[in-house]
Amino acid sequence: MSQATPAETPEALVERLARAGRAAQRVLARMNAPAKAAALHAAAAALRADSAAVLAANALDLAAGEANGLTGAMLDRLRLDSERLVAIAEAVDNVADLPDPVGEEISRSQRPNGLVLVRVRIPIGLIGIIYESRPNVTADAAALCVRSGNAVLLRGGSEAVHSNRAIHAALVRGLAAAGVPEAAVQLMPTQERAAVGAMLAAAGLIDMIVPRGGKSLV
């Protein structure tokens, strides 16, 4: 995972990650549907292989959450166990088996002069996703973006920072082994709030921002 340097401003960090993500997306966009599916299956396998490390990281988050007074409901959203981790890996496999949206024809029409107009789905580019405490979102969002040919910059909540990093590391290891550039799925290496503001202001570098969480976040 890319690290923030001490002298790097949030704006410079986001620009660096976004440029790397955009370069990776150009490679990802040229991968065919079977290659993307195989990469996601490899990511799911890596997640299963790293289950012990992910659960150990999650235990750190749970301990910190209890010490910080998180509610029982928040702790339950944060908690991972073997069964939940299996479900997360299965969800990545399920996304891999979805029909590839890239190249799908949406509509077709013919003008009076015989010109045929066709609308076709293409990748968006680099998507920034900002989300709260559920660590499964790290895997879900990454898988959906890769399947649709998009690179992603993830920014999870501080409550799940260790879990998110462990899940992200496993996913990237699997994806990279199958030919997807590591920068296609990046996790923000800092929990500074200013980094969120920098993501929101990075028009021209990040093509779309998706907030996932409570009303206050959105």
Side-chain angles (χ1 to χ4, degrees):
M1 182 177 67
S2 178
Q3 299 293 323
T5 61
E8 197 170 31
T9 66
E11 292 75 16
L13 171 63
V14 168
E15 180 175 354
R16 175 168 62 83
L17 297 178
R19 291 193 183 284
R22 295 181 76 83
Q25 192 275 329
R26 290 192 287 272
V27 176
L28 181 60
R30 293 194 294 271
M31 294 182 69
N32 60 29
K36 289 185 293 183
L40 287 173
H41 285 307
L47 192 55
R48 293 186 183 95
D50 286 4
S51 59
V54 174
L55 293 178
N58 184 247
L60 296 176
D61 289 330
L62 288 171
E66 290 173 354
N68 293 329
L70 290 185
T71 65
M74 286 288 289
L75 288 171
D76 184 62
R77 292 193 196 105
L78 179 60
R79 182 174 288 106
L80 295 176
D81 55 26
S82 297
E83 185 177 343
R84 288 185 176 185
L85 200 52
V86 166
I88 291 172
E90 286 180 350
V92 175
D93 277 328
N94 290 338
V95 171
D97 294 334
L98 290 173
D100 189 7
V102 178
E104 178 187 353
E105 186 176 310
I106 304 170
S107 64
R108 176 184 292 263
S109 62
Q110 185 169 351
R111 306 299 296 170
N113 63 357
L115 178 66
V116 176
L117 303 178
V118 181
R119 294 177 64 203
V120 176
R121 296 188 191 278
I122 63 170
I124 293 169
L126 174 63
I127 299 176
I129 301 182
I130 303 167
Y131 53 103
E132 294 179 325
S133 58
R134 293 184 186 272
N136 63 290
V137 177
T138 300
D140 293 345
L144 288 167
C145 286
V146 170
R147 193 70 181 96
S148 56
N150 295 294
V152 63
L153 177 56
L154 302 162
R155 202 285 189 177
S158 58
E159 307 90 350
V161 60
H162 297 97
S163 305
N164 289 337
R165 286 173 179 171
I167 290 171
H168 172 259
L171 292 172
V172 168
R173 182 168 61 82
L175 291 169
V180 174
E182 290 188 10
V185 177
Q186 297 180 92
L187 180 68
M188 183 66 68
T190 177
Q191 295 303 123
E192 287 185 49
R193 290 186 178 274
V196 174
M199 287 178 67
L200 297 174
L205 290 171
I206 299 177
D207 298 294
M208 175 183 288
I209 293 286
V210 179
R212 186 190 188 281
K215 182 178 179 181
S216 60
L217 170 66
V218 175

